[in-house]
Structures are given as structure tokens and as C-alpha cells.
Amino acid sequence: MLWLLSARYGYNLRTNQPLNRFAKLKNQAYRRIQPRTPTGKKSISQITTCASAALRLALLPAALLLAALLLAACGSGEAPAKPENPAGLAERAERIAAESIIVDGHIDVPYRVNNKPADVSQATDDGDFDYPRAVAGHLNAPFMSIYTPAELEAEGRSREVAEKLIDMVEAIVADAPDKFAVATSVSDVRRHFEERLISLPLGMENGSPIEGSLDTLQYFYDRGIRYVTLAHSLSNHISDSSYDENRVWNGLSDFGKSLIPELNRLGIMIDISHVSDEAFWQVMELSAVPAIASHSSARHFTPGFERNMSDEMIVRLAEEGGIIMINYGSSFITAAARAYSDIRRDARDAARAAKPELNAEALKAEYLPAFEAEHGPYPYATLDDVLDHIDHVVALAGIESVGIGSDYDGVGDSLPIGLKDVASYPALIEGLLERGYSEADIKLILGENLLRVWSAVEAYAATKKR
């Protein structure tokens, strides 16, 4: 699958070697085939098979004419595809959404509700998630983020906050057992789907609550945690953070390195979102099972932003069986939003330094109007920009390497146009259909890829039970 991207660059992204004659011809064929209208676009697998057959013939001089004819067929098909009307495409997207298990790798409902209480079993006036909108979007298994701010580790409060957020998820389920259920396994998710319940699996965002204790890790597994994001915005006792210039460990700490096999043994997925590049590569070497990036995007579109994943990292993650789950935050998606976010942060920090007594809302009123007058409104990403990330990952590493990790309720007012809340998954599906993805491939992106990784982690843990 890497030749899809290598077409642009002329070398093999796995080996970093120049392409051989066949590969170069194949990439030329890709460039010939690719500019198709969305409704007439063949699937990636169809293009690969067809172009490969033609180009192997082309290596034989006597078969050049036949190869050229076959390449033309690859590009045009037997007959132009009849464009599907927008209403029909939307109906098809709704059907696929209803028939698929949609897993979102990261939604920050617990911390949102902790800060501003709300009954998410009913329609809410704010936020990105509630039950009615989740039903409208056919969302089946949103991972509830058990998020602890990075600064709490130094205060010794990480575990306390994590416990409170888990309690809150359990309360959501207890108050609406006809709508929600905690999921601790793939089989739970599949059973809840049949029962028309929304699964609420738990992911720990920031490993600080583990507090350097494998016994505490076991405790959180028993409470339902099924993935751990090793660090957050500051380096912690487990790992360096991509956001923190202070690289304490040059990757993982000694405890972090000992934690990886224990996560494998228990059946907890390892989440490499937020960690430094060095920590990522160490996880790849140490883990016996696939890892996930629960809410990251492709660095290709945001050069220099380490929080996103480089092409080489995406390829390696996929080679180990893992997946990257695309974060919807606009600053994760486009360079324009990234740059705007950076300079806005600098303006906010300057205002805070000048007037430290102001609370968050007063601080915003202090600096934001003048900032927006100078720099204009926030440049939101779009649904198409998010689809570009999915296309890029598929071209790099294959259809089984990507999923959804929206970061709803976690990225504030930065969500892309067309993907503003959990009702919007059908819009994503419609966009994928327009770009030529098959229904089978769309189901992989929506949830089956993550469930495959989770199943592999469960299977390995089953062999290690004491």
C-alpha cells in the first residue's frame, strides 16, 4: 500500500531506498489513474490489482501495447459510474452508520461533566456529546476519557481525580441503564450493540494516577480501564510528553519500561498519543501487542507539531498491528489552524502574565477581541480536511491502520465545519463514500480496526493470566 504515497516522492517509505523500475512504473500508473471523479473512483484495492497486472506486462517489450490498453481500462472502467444523487448518498451513509459498530477512541465527557454538571442521558445545551445526539449519529462505543491534568502529579492528586471521574461514568450508567452500559471487553461492545445500548469503555488519559505502582495499575484495570495514555502535556513518572521541552527520560522512564509488559499482561491497550517521539519508538520495541494512538492526526499536515504522528511512526505503528485514530481538533488537522492556535496561546499567556488575578473568562475578554481584530477569526478545518488525514494514513499504511478519535468535549471550540458533535458520524461516512471507499472499508475505519486491536490485546492477556 505504501506505493500510493511513494508515487509522489520516488522512494520506498519502508526501506528509504529508490524505487525499482517496476515500482516507478506502478507509481506513474497511479498518477494516471488517480484523478477520477469521486463517484467514479475505483477502490484502492481495485486500482492496485489492475495497475500491477498492466505494469508487469509492460516490463515485456512485446506486451507494451497490451499493457497500455489495460492501463486505460484501469483508469476508466468498463463504463463511467453513474453519479449518485446527494440524497441517495446521505441515505446510504445513514444505513452504514446504523449497521456498523462506531467506536470513537476519545471523548472527554467525564471531565466536562466534572467541571459543569449535566445529564448527558438527555439533550444538553452545550458540549459535544449527549444521548440524543449519540443516537442520531449512531455512535456505539465512545471511550470515556479518564483525564487527569498533568500538574496534578506534582500535587499528588492524580489518583483522586481519576477515581472521581470513573465514579461519574458509573453514575451515568446507573442513572440510565436503558441507554448506557460500561464495556470492559470487545464482547461487551458487540453485545451492547445488539441490545441497542451505548457502550462506555474507559481510557485513562495520562498515566499519572498509576503513581509508580503495578498494584495500582491492577486496581484501575479492575475498575474498567482498558487503555492508558502514558503521559499528557507534561513529562510524568512514566514517559516524556510531546508537549514538554523538558525531556526527563529521553523517552520512557525505567518504571515506564517495566509498565509496558504489565499493560500487555493485564490486557490494557497502550495509547501513544501525547508521548514524545523517543517514547513512541521505545514502546514499539517493548510491547508484545499492537498499540493505539487514541486521538492523534498526521504530522504531514502540521509540520513540526510533535503531538501528531510522523509518516514513519504511522507506518511502524501499523506494521505492529496498531492504529492511529484521527483527532478532529482543527489545530491537529491544518497548518493554518495550528499556527493560529500557537500565536493565540502566546497572546493569552502574555495577558495572564500581565494580569494574573483574572479568571479564565475574564482573561479571554481581556485579550481575545484585540487578537481577533488583528488576526481574524479562527480558521476552522473542514470535513474534507479530516478526510485528507484518513486518505493519507490509508495511502501510507493501509485501510486497517486508521480509526476515529475525535476528542469531542476535549478540544473546545475548534471542531471542523461539518463535524461539530457526535451526531455527525453519518456526514463522515458520506464523505468517505464520495471519495470511493467501500462499505467494508468504512466499517473498518468506524470501529472494526480498533476492535481488532483490542481483541489482540485481550487474546495475548489470556495467555498470561496468573
Side-chain angles (χ1 to χ4, degrees):
M1 296 297 293
L2 285 178
W3 65 270
L4 289 164
L5 187 71
S6 300
R8 300 181 182 178
Y9 303 111
Y11 62 89
N12 187 309
L13 288 177
R14 290 190 193 278
T15 65
N16 205 32
Q17 298 299 312
L19 295 169
N20 60 30
R21 181 187 177 202
F22 173 70
K24 287 179 180 176
L25 285 168
K26 195 175 190 182
N27 290 341
Q28 291 165 8
Y30 171 68
R31 290 193 290 268
R32 161 69 181 85
I33 293 166
Q34 184 64 11
R36 306 285 305 282
T37 58
T39 52
K41 182 178 176 183
K42 288 180 178 289
S43 71
I44 289 172
S45 60
Q46 287 174 312
I47 292 171
T48 307
T49 302
C50 191
S52 297
L55 289 164
R56 292 190 186 280
L57 282 173
L59 295 178
L60 304 173
L64 286 174
L65 179 58
L66 178 59
L69 291 172
L70 183 51
L71 275 175
C74 293
S76 61
E78 294 181 2
K82 183 179 180 181
E84 190 167 355
N85 67 71
L89 205 61
E91 290 174 1
R92 190 176 168 204
E94 284 285 344
R95 176 182 57 77
I96 294 170
E99 293 174 354
S100 306
I101 297 180
I102 300 180
V103 180
D104 194 313
H106 193 91
I107 296 185
D108 277 290
V109 169
Y111 202 76
R112 165 196 156 196
V113 174
N114 180 62
N115 287 341
K116 184 179 180 181
D119 180 3
V120 295
S121 70
Q122 307 295 327
T124 57
D125 293 331
D126 56 9
D128 309 324
F129 174 97
D130 57 41
Y131 181 78
R133 284 182 285 174
V135 170
H138 305 282
L139 175 60
N140 306 110
F143 269 84
M144 295 286 99
S145 174
I146 306 304
Y147 161 63
T148 55
E151 60 271 16
L152 294 184
E153 179 164 299
E155 300 172 13
R157 296 181 52 231
S158 297
R159 179 170 178 172
E160 167 196 336
V161 171
E163 298 262 26
K164 182 178 180 181
L165 298 186
I166 295 172
D167 289 345
M168 294 180 72
V169 176
E170 291 175 346
I172 289 170
V173 171
D175 291 343
D178 57 330
K179 297 176 179 178
F180 300 111
V182 172
T184 61
S185 65
V186 173
S187 61
D188 282 349
V189 172
R190 296 197 185 280
R191 186 179 73 257
H192 297 159
F193 178 74
E194 296 299 328
E195 296 171 350
R196 298 190 177 185
L197 294 171
I198 293 178
S199 294
L200 300 181
L202 305 180
M204 177 182 283
E205 184 181 20
N206 188 4
S208 290
I210 296 168
E211 296 182 336
S213 167
L214 298 183
D215 288 340
T216 302
L217 177 66
Q218 174 75 60
Y219 169 81
F220 279 116
Y221 172 85
D222 293 340
R223 289 218 63 184
I225 294 295
R226 288 302 178 267
Y227 76 64
V228 171
T229 315
L230 301 178
H232 195 254
S233 57
L234 296 174
S235 301
N236 63 13
H237 72 284
I238 297 169
S239 174
D240 290 335
S241 165
S242 61
Y243 281 128
D244 193 347
E245 294 180 0
N246 181 25
R247 302 299 164 94
V248 179
W249 312 110
N250 293 317
L252 299 175
S253 69
D254 288 343
F255 175 74
K257 292 173 182 176
S258 70
L259 187 67
I260 301 304
E262 189 66 7
L263 290 163
N264 291 170
R265 185 188 71 80
L266 288 173
I268 300 175
M269 290 180 282
I270 299 167
D271 177 20
I272 56 77
S273 289
H274 282 285
V275 303
S276 68
D277 286 5
E278 294 83 359
F280 165 83
W281 291 109
Q282 290 168 13
V283 169
M284 292 299 98
E285 292 299 319
L286 292 170
S287 181
V289 297
I292 64 171
S294 72
H295 58 306
S296 296
S297 299
R299 199 180 299 171
H300 171 83
F301 298 96
T302 56
F305 184 41
E306 190 178 350
R307 173 64 178 79
N308 277 347
M309 296 185 70
S310 71
D311 288 356
E312 294 78 10
M313 294 164 74
I314 292 168
V315 169
R316 178 60 185 275
L317 183 68
E319 287 177 342
E320 301 298 332
I323 66 169
I324 175 174
M325 308 180 80
I326 302 301
N327 188 314
Y328 286 0
S330 289
S331 64
F332 290 76
I333 298 298
T334 69
R338 178 76 257 147
Y340 188 99
S341 297
D342 287 343
I343 59 175
R344 186 175 61 183
R345 179 198 61 222
D346 292 342
R348 180 201 65 204
D349 292 348
R352 180 183 291 130
K355 297 187 176 181
E357 71 278 6
L358 296 181
N359 62 29
E361 287 303 313
L363 188 68
K364 185 182 292 186
E366 177 72 19
Y367 82 90
L368 197 56
F371 179 86
E372 291 184 344
E374 179 180 354
H375 298 282
Y378 187 77
Y380 292 101
T382 66
L383 168 58
D384 275 335
D385 292 325
V386 173
L387 293 170
D388 287 345
H389 280 253
I390 294 174
D391 284 351
H392 184 74
V393 173
V394 172
L396 277 175
I399 194 66
E400 294 186 348
S401 61
V402 65
I404 302 167
S406 66
D407 212 349
Y408 281 133
D409 280 332
V411 290
D413 183 18
S414 74
L415 290 162
I417 297 167
L419 294 172
K420 290 297 187 182
D421 61 25
V422 294
S424 67
Y425 299 100
L428 181 75
I429 297 168
E430 187 174 350
L432 291 168
L433 289 170
E434 289 174 345
R435 294 199 178 199
Y437 286 85
S438 70
E439 292 191 18
D441 286 351
I442 290 170
K443 288 186 176 185
L444 293 176
I445 295 168
L446 294 178
E448 291 300 331
N449 283 338
L450 184 281
L451 295 177
R452 170 186 56 78
V453 174
W454 192 357
S455 294
V457 172
E458 288 181 333
Y460 179 86
T463 70
K464 299 295 180 179
K465 295 298 183 185
R466 293 171 179 166

